[in-house]
Amino acid sequence: MSNEATHGHPEVVTTHEAHHDEHHVHHHKETFITKYVFSQDHKMIARQFLITGMAWAIIGGLMSVLFRLQLGYPDQSFPFLEDILGRWAKDGKITAESYYALVTMHGTVLVFFVLTGGLSGTFANFLIPLQIGARDMASPFLNMLSYWFFFIASVIMFSSLFVQTGPFSGGWTAYPPLSALGEASPGSKVGMDLWITSMALFVVSSLLGGLNYIATILNMRTKGMSMTRMPLTIWALFFTAVLGVLSFPVLLSGFILLLFDRHAGTSFYLDSIYIGSAALPNEGGSAILYQHLFWFLGHPEVYIIILPAMGIVSEVMSVNARKPIFGYMAMVGSLFAIAILAFLVWAHHMFVTGMNPFLGSVFVLLTLLIAIPSAIKVFNWLTTIWRGNIRFTPGMMFSLGFVSLFISGGLTGIFLGNSALDIALHDTYFVIAHFHIVMGVAGFFGMFAGIYHWFPKMFGRFLNNTMAYIHFWVTLIGSYLIFWPMHYEGLAGMPRRYLDYTNWLSFNQFDGLNKFISTVAMVVFAVQLMFIFNFFYSIFKGRRVTVKNPWGSSTLEWTTPIVAGHGNWPGEIPEVHRWAYDYSKDGREYISQTEPVTPDEKPH
Amino acid sequence: MSTTAILLLAILGLGFLITFQIAKASEYVGVLKGEKKSFEQSNRVNAFLMVVFLVLGLIGIYWCHELFYKKTLLPFPSASDHGEKIDSMMFITIAITGVVFFITQILLFWFAYKYQHSDKRKALFYPHNTNWEILWTTVPAIALCVLVGFGLYYWYQITGNAPEKALQVEVTGKQFGWIYRYPGKDNVYGKKYYKNIDESNNNELGILWDDQYSHDDIVTTEALYLVKGQPVKINIFSRDVIHDVGLPHFRMKMDAVPGTPTTMWFTPQYTTEEMRKITGNNNFEYEIACDQMCGNGHYSMRGVVKVVTQSEFILWRARQKARYLMVFPDRDPTNQKAVDTTKTGTAPPPPVAAKR
């Protein structure tokens, strides 16, 4: 931008830029290390986040398959489990210790390492500079650090799986005193220290990333790219980054106090505890304080997961319906409303902790308010495809699947956000069904939509469509088959996080259903492996992208070369003249953002 | 590894291989047929599958309901009065969200099918319409007002103060079980302090025996006895980590937090015997399920609630020996003949007791 301002003549600018670029390349000869490992190119960092996230998704998904084996077949033993897990599955049966470790790690890994690191990390890095027209992030170096902090956090979390006393096993929310006292659970010994360390580094990674995203979006938009011309992906990633920057520090403070309670003898969360045949000296703390600190991040966290997915879906859906997104300003407004409300609803996770009923009622009201922007988004998506001309690319199908899941899971949120109903449903399978559909599977669908849509931009090749369609249909059907019936288990009062229900008179009537769910979960997991295969196979052998803009999209990332180098545009950064959604306007398929508005064009 | 595992892996691998070959072949076929033609074909198939998914999904929802609704708690009346409110709230919510669910899902998949790509169709340039947007802001807002209104009305009734005449009972969670305490005839609990807990001397709650009120307190782990028709106020404690007193049949739930007492109250509506008849299950028991992850034995933290009639309850309570007398059998009047009578009537010397 500054270059263009200083040079009046367009030709002069071009030659200067070209020369500059040559110069640039000459001076920074890229080695394997600087190109693939310690890269400062936002596109490479995005790919690093994506592949690390995928590795975690396989691990986290495999964990769920293992504990689903226990839940579906509590009376059987699987000798091969002992081969994999050793003493954690003595005689082929998953022990309580390993079951709770698996459940806890499944939650931690998928919420933080896959759907936060893997999703925001990938698409914020990849899309922000490309879609706003910047050569890179505001600070490529901090961006690189952000990945490497994520990587170290990953290594530490992974190493905790191998310690003698096992990884942390008190649930991904890590409520003290269970998480504070080694006497309470073997997983709360050294496994918990590793968990906290890893999470602290993860927070650092998130903050470095988030600050960079905000700075880049606010300062580095190309000429003409006003905030209201940005694609919705960027708006969504912007609000996501704001949420992360404002709430992750609170989580970190909660963890630090927890660390003090564990090792420094403080009593922030501990009071009147008798455990392991001894009374602890700690008095005066409040276990509930931790829950406030945790959920002050924990609730925005679910929006940190779902907002990028919403942004991706809005963009992919508009491109493939060949229609502008309906109600752009309403979409931005509803993202904003969700981001604000995200900070004001955390205590709806704590209706049954004995909180003041009046306080509870305030949180009921604020929580149900979220349904309004959510409804706006759903109806706007529906109107976007109405009278469109839909191309069922894999990205589009995952976007449609996302909307379906978001409706299904969002509506059950209205049950849980209403405190009176939450008394009955809290911590039952109803909750599992709710958040897996609306945050887990829907988050993944947004991520898949993004991967299928931008894979050609990332790797210059297409993913295989047949495998993509199988992937979509099996995952969509499978997810509903797994999670829909869980609502009924919840309505029977069946509690979460139980190793075995056979000794309970009230909850043992679902053994057939549990087997069914476990079987479907395995099928769905197998299909995800097929996706992973498709991903890596296509990087090297996929159909080549032959045109710059294969989807006929109006946004800036498709104006770069098919395989863009560091700096994204070989010449000048294109100037933007219009919003991102001129599809099917004035009888034209699409009009790129770089095209000047003609005088006879109808304003939108 | 067992042979079955190897066999399963082989089948899985083969399945992958076949899918992969088909996928690769279809890509080649696509190239041969021309990109446009293969796109049109797969577009038609996927559009059709969208509507198939919708129809099968709706049938599936019905079928799922037929199979599992009868296994939930909803077909049977709630065991508590609060539960009835929660149930009616549940049905209101199911009705409202159900309508929204069916309308939006049907529109979504129907639009996807109807507006599939066609060379003849031009997409409509339709960037916004303020009236529509106002409509779908206000309608959900009104629906939510209804839900919040009902919800809070019931919420305040459920979390309000327990009636004066309520039966008092204390439930304490520990890894991994429940301890129940009744205040005895004086209806006042004796003081307790956690540093006084002494499992080997029958004092798992840390009751201060020098507090006179503690002498008739009944402590039991057998079952939580409640009276049909009499409101009960449960004071909830935890000895170690956070637990949760989950009463699925009563639709009630409250965390047990170490150091922070919590309460809940409700009125049982049916005795255990009556509920056996209602559910047609002779083995029926009201169960207490721990609903907050509390360690590796979480899943086994089960308690039993016995709802009985007033007269049965009085009988039961009369049969219970106060914990104080179990700790100090020499002060039990029924044991008096065996011990020195001179001691009776004097206040008991305090045992080693930490003071607050």
Side-chain angles (χ1 to χ4, degrees):
Chain A
M1 272 158 68
S2 56
N3 282 347
E4 287 146 18
T6 47
H7 299 279
H9 240 268
E11 289 99 315
V12 177
V13 176
T14 322
T15 44
H16 174 84
E17 282 277 330
H19 173 73
H20 179 84
D21 258 60
E22 226 170 74
H23 199 63
H24 187 85
V25 172
H26 184 72
H27 265 280
H28 300 268
K29 186 145 179 63
E30 281 183 313
T31 62
F32 181 83
I33 298 282
T34 57
K35 189 169 178 201
Y36 293 106
V37 184
F38 294 106
S39 172
Q40 297 191 16
D41 181 356
H42 70 99
K43 297 188 291 303
M44 184 55 70
I45 295 169
R47 282 174 273 193
Q48 289 173 330
F49 267 110
L50 179 58
I51 289 168
T52 314
M54 279 163 70
W56 272 121
I58 299 168
I59 295 167
L62 186 65
M63 286 169 170
S64 73
V65 168
L66 294 179
F67 68 68
R68 273 311 322 182
L69 270 182
Q70 161 63 26
L71 288 170
Y73 306 91
D75 44 355
Q76 286 183 34
S77 67
F78 302 91
F80 77 91
L81 285 179
E82 202 175 346
D83 298 329
I84 308 173
L85 300 173
R87 69 186 171 86
W88 296 89
K90 197 117 192 70
D91 305 322
K93 285 186 77 73
I94 291 193
T95 59
E97 215 179 336
S98 55
Y99 174 79
Y100 286 113
L102 287 169
V103 171
T104 303
M105 284 297 131
H106 167 77
T108 309
V109 160
L110 283 162
V111 168
F112 293 108
F113 289 78
V114 181
L115 290 172
T116 305
L119 178 59
S120 287
T122 303
F123 290 102
N125 274 305
F126 193 74
L127 294 178
I128 290 173
L130 281 173
Q131 288 197 329
I132 65 170
R135 298 221 179 268
D136 205 314
M137 285 287 174
S139 170
F141 178 70
L142 289 187
N143 210 26
M144 180 183 80
L145 279 188
S146 157
Y147 173 74
W148 286 104
F149 270 102
F150 176 59
F151 185 82
I152 300 167
S154 295
V155 169
I156 293 174
M157 190 61 83
F158 191 70
S159 69
S160 82
L161 300 177
F162 301 98
V163 298
Q164 171 74 25
T165 48
F168 179 52
S169 57
W172 76 279
T173 51
Y175 284 177
L178 181 61
S179 61
L181 305 170
E183 302 95 310
S185 161
S188 300
K189 292 181 174 146
V190 69
M192 184 57 189
D193 289 322
L194 292 170
W195 193 90
I196 295 180
T197 314
S198 168
M199 286 306 301
L201 292 168
F202 181 85
V203 171
V204 173
S205 159
S206 276
L207 293 179
L208 287 173
L211 288 169
N212 227 337
Y213 307 151
I214 295 170
T216 310
I217 293 171
L218 291 181
N219 297 313
M220 299 184 59
R221 300 188 310 278
T222 185
K223 193 174 176 189
M225 179 65 88
S226 61
M227 291 294 273
T228 50
R229 282 181 180 167
M230 296 195 309
L232 285 170
T233 32
I234 303 300
W235 272 111
L237 291 165
F238 176 69
F239 287 125
T240 304
V242 173
L243 285 178
V245 165
L246 294 181
S247 62
F248 267 116
V250 179
L251 179 77
L252 187 60
S253 69
F255 285 161
I256 289 169
L257 299 188
L258 182 57
L259 212 56
F260 284 167
D261 273 9
R262 288 172 60 78
H263 297 297
T266 56
S267 309
F268 291 108
Y269 306 133
L270 304 178
D271 184 17
S272 311
I273 291 165
Y274 179 89
I275 198 159
S277 308
L280 300 185
N282 312 65
E283 285 184 80
S286 163
I288 302 300
L289 168 65
Y290 172 87
Q291 298 187 21
H292 282 289
L293 294 173
F294 180 86
W295 288 114
F296 191 81
L297 161 94
H299 199 76
E301 171 62 30
V302 308
Y303 297 105
I304 289 174
I305 290 172
I306 210 70
L307 290 185
M310 286 173 164
I312 289 168
V313 164
S314 304
E315 170 71 19
V316 173
M317 191 172 267
S318 172
V319 172
N320 290 297
R322 311 311 288 155
K323 264 190 80 189
I325 192 78
F326 181 79
Y328 175 85
M329 285 314 286
M331 289 304 242
V332 175
S334 56
L335 286 174
F336 179 67
I338 290 174
I340 296 289
L341 288 171
F343 286 110
L344 304 173
V345 298
W346 77 91
H348 68 213
H349 297 270
M350 302 161 57
F351 285 141
V352 298
T353 56
M355 69 196 289
N356 183 322
F358 174 72
L359 189 61
S361 66
V362 174
F363 280 102
V364 171
L365 183 66
L366 291 166
T367 300
L368 292 206
L369 277 183
I370 293 188
I372 297 171
S374 305
I376 294 173
K377 296 201 87 70
V378 167
F379 285 112
N380 282 3
W381 284 320
L382 289 176
T383 320
T384 301
I385 60 168
W386 174 74
R387 294 191 66 182
N389 201 9
I390 299 169
R391 300 182 311 203
F392 290 102
T393 61
M396 180 63 174
M397 299 183 64
F398 275 102
S399 302
L400 293 167
F402 171 91
V403 177
S404 171
L405 291 160
F406 183 69
I407 296 167
S408 305
L411 288 172
T412 50
I414 293 175
F415 291 67
L416 295 166
N418 216 332
S419 53
L421 284 181
D422 187 63
I423 298 173
L425 297 173
H426 188 87
D427 265 349
T428 65
Y429 266 68
F430 195 92
V431 178
I432 300 195
H434 161 71
F435 74 76
H436 274 89
I437 290 179
V438 78
M439 178 183 80
V441 187
F444 263 106
F445 268 52
M447 192 165 167
F448 287 137
I451 293 173
Y452 280 107
H453 190 76
W454 281 290
F455 190 87
K457 189 74 255 165
M458 285 185 186
F459 298 103
R461 291 171 188 268
F462 288 101
L463 284 156
N464 181 292
N465 269 347
T466 309
M467 279 196 265
Y469 292 136
I470 295 172
H471 178 212
F472 169 75
W473 285 112
V474 175
T475 311
L476 180 71
I477 296 166
S479 307
Y480 271 120
L481 288 180
I482 291 168
F483 296 114
W484 188 271
M486 278 191 191
H487 292 104
Y488 288 86
E489 295 186 321
L491 291 173
M494 192 163 137
R496 296 166 69 175
R497 293 169 171 161
Y498 273 27
L499 170 74
D500 190 350
Y501 295 88
T502 43
N503 294 328
W504 291 81
L505 300 169
S506 317
F507 316 123
N508 66 2
Q509 69 270 43
F510 289 110
D511 51 342
L513 176 59
N514 285 334
K515 274 193 184 58
F516 172 77
I517 290 175
S518 297
T519 313
V520 179
M522 282 179 249
V523 173
V524 172
F525 180 70
V527 170
Q528 306 315 307
L529 292 182
M530 188 190 74
F531 163 74
I532 301 278
F533 173 79
N534 189 7
F535 184 88
F536 287 104
Y537 177 81
S538 300
I539 288 179
F540 301 105
K541 300 266 173 146
R543 195 157 49 89
R544 274 181 197 284
V545 179
T546 48
V547 287
K548 261 192 188 178
N549 191 353
W551 310 124
S553 175
S554 63
T555 41
L556 285 183
E557 74 271 29
W558 304 103
T559 62
T560 58
I562 293 171
V563 180
H566 196 175
N568 299 336
W569 286 270
E572 211 181 325
I573 298 177
E575 188 181 335
V576 165
H577 298 278
R578 57 177 75 234
W579 74 330
Y581 296 102
D582 271 340
Y583 292 101
S584 301
K585 192 186 185 193
D586 300 338
R588 291 178 60 185
E589 261 293 277
Y590 71 97
I591 309 174
S592 175
Q593 283 193 279
T594 54
E595 214 178 297
V597 182
T598 52
D600 54 336
E601 211 174 292
K602 277 178 270 168
H604 65 259
Chain B
M1 260 206 193
S2 62
T3 40
T4 36
I6 292 169
L7 199 67
L8 276 172
L9 278 179
I11 293 172
L12 199 69
L14 200 64
F16 265 128
L17 205 67
I18 293 169
T19 320
F20 172 58
Q21 291 302 327
I22 293 172
K24 222 163 67 170
S26 64
E27 202 163 64
Y28 295 142
V29 171
V31 172
L32 288 177
K33 264 199 299 203
E35 211 165 308
K36 186 165 155 49
K37 200 157 176 205
S38 67
F39 156 74
E40 279 172 351
Q41 197 177 21
S42 81
N43 219 53
R44 267 198 306 277
V45 171
N46 280 315
F48 178 68
L49 287 176
M50 287 280 165
V51 89
V52 170
F53 177 77
L54 173 67
V55 173
L56 290 183
L58 293 175
I59 295 170
I61 287 169
Y62 172 77
W63 191 40
C64 181
H65 191 77
E66 285 292 298
L67 279 176
F68 300 119
Y69 180 72
K70 56 181 183 280
K71 293 187 173 184
T72 68
L73 293 164
L74 294 177
F76 307 110
S78 161
S80 77
D81 57 337
H82 289 345
E84 286 175 356
K85 294 170 190 147
I86 289 173
D87 281 357
S88 52
M89 189 63 221
M90 186 80 80
F91 288 115
I92 295 168
T93 313
I94 289 175
I96 293 180
T97 55
V99 170
V100 179
F101 174 84
F102 286 112
I103 291 175
T104 48
Q105 297 280 9
I106 289 171
L107 285 181
L108 175 70
F109 289 102
W110 174 244
F111 283 173
Y113 172 74
K114 183 147 190 251
Y115 299 108
Q116 60 177 291
H117 172 86
S118 149
D119 280 340
K120 288 173 217 132
R121 186 184 294 112
K122 268 262 156 273
L124 176 72
F125 183 78
Y126 192 57
H128 64 100
N129 179 320
T130 314
N131 290 337
W132 283 113
E133 285 162 89
I134 289 172
L135 178 76
W136 52 66
T137 309
T138 45
V139 172
I142 293 166
L144 289 174
C145 286
V146 175
L147 290 174
V148 172
F150 276 109
L152 292 186
Y153 173 69
Y154 291 135
W155 169 247
Y156 281 119
Q157 286 188 355
I158 294 167
T159 57
N161 288 331
E164 289 285 308
K165 57 164 185 163
L167 174 73
Q168 301 281 329
V169 57
E170 196 187 278
V171 175
T172 304
K174 60 159 194 169
Q175 285 182 330
F176 298 97
W178 301 102
I179 306 162
Y180 317 109
R181 174 161 78 142
Y182 293 82
K185 288 189 200 75
D186 58 13
N187 213 27
V188 181
Y189 297 108
K191 286 197 180 73
K192 61 176 185 169
Y193 183 49
Y194 80 105
K195 284 186 179 166
N196 252 26
I197 293 172
D198 188 354
E199 296 250 307
S200 55
N201 281 321
N202 263 329
N203 194 0
E204 59 260 61
L205 293 176
I207 296 170
L208 302 172
W209 299 123
D210 51 353
D211 179 3
Q212 295 281 345
Y213 290 118
S214 73
H215 294 183
D216 60 351
D217 288 4
I218 297 164
V219 179
T220 174
T221 52
E222 176 213 345
L224 178 63
Y225 276 80
L226 303 177
V227 183
K228 178 192 168 185
Q230 185 186 4
V232 56
K233 180 179 179 187
I234 305 181
N235 293 296
I236 301 166
F237 300 87
S238 168
R239 253 176 41 171
D240 36 43
V241 301
I242 302 178
H243 302 278
D244 184 286
V245 182
L247 300 167
H249 305 95
F250 302 88
R251 319 285 195 263
M252 293 302 287
K253 198 168 285 154
M254 182 53 81
D255 278 359
V257 185
T260 312
T262 56
T263 64
M264 72 164 133
W265 76 273
F266 57 89
T267 312
Q269 307 266 76
Y270 305 98
T271 63
T272 303
E273 280 304 318
E274 284 169 341
M275 210 48 160
R276 285 182 180 165
K277 291 203 184 70
I278 291 169
T279 55
N281 175 4
N282 281 330
N283 301 318
F284 176 86
E285 290 284 2
Y286 292 118
E287 287 178 311
I288 305 179
C290 180
D291 275 330
Q292 185 60 256
M293 175 69 203
C294 62
N296 290 341
H298 174 50
Y299 68 98
S300 59
M301 195 163 158
R302 176 175 179 266
V304 173
V305 181
K306 301 260 186 206
V307 179
V308 294
T309 59
Q310 182 74 43
S311 52
E312 284 170 320
F313 181 76
I314 291 168
L315 254 175
W316 172 80
R317 193 165 59 180
R319 278 203 309 270
Q320 303 305 307
K321 188 179 259 186
R323 181 52 66 95
Y324 175 73
L325 300 179
M326 289 158 82
V327 177
F328 306 102
D330 52 328
R331 295 186 196 129
D332 187 343
T334 56
N335 293 342
Q336 284 314 302
K337 280 156 210 145
V339 294
D340 187 359
T341 46
T342 52
K343 272 189 182 170
T344 50
T346 54
V352 265
K355 300 267 185 205
R356 259 180 201 270

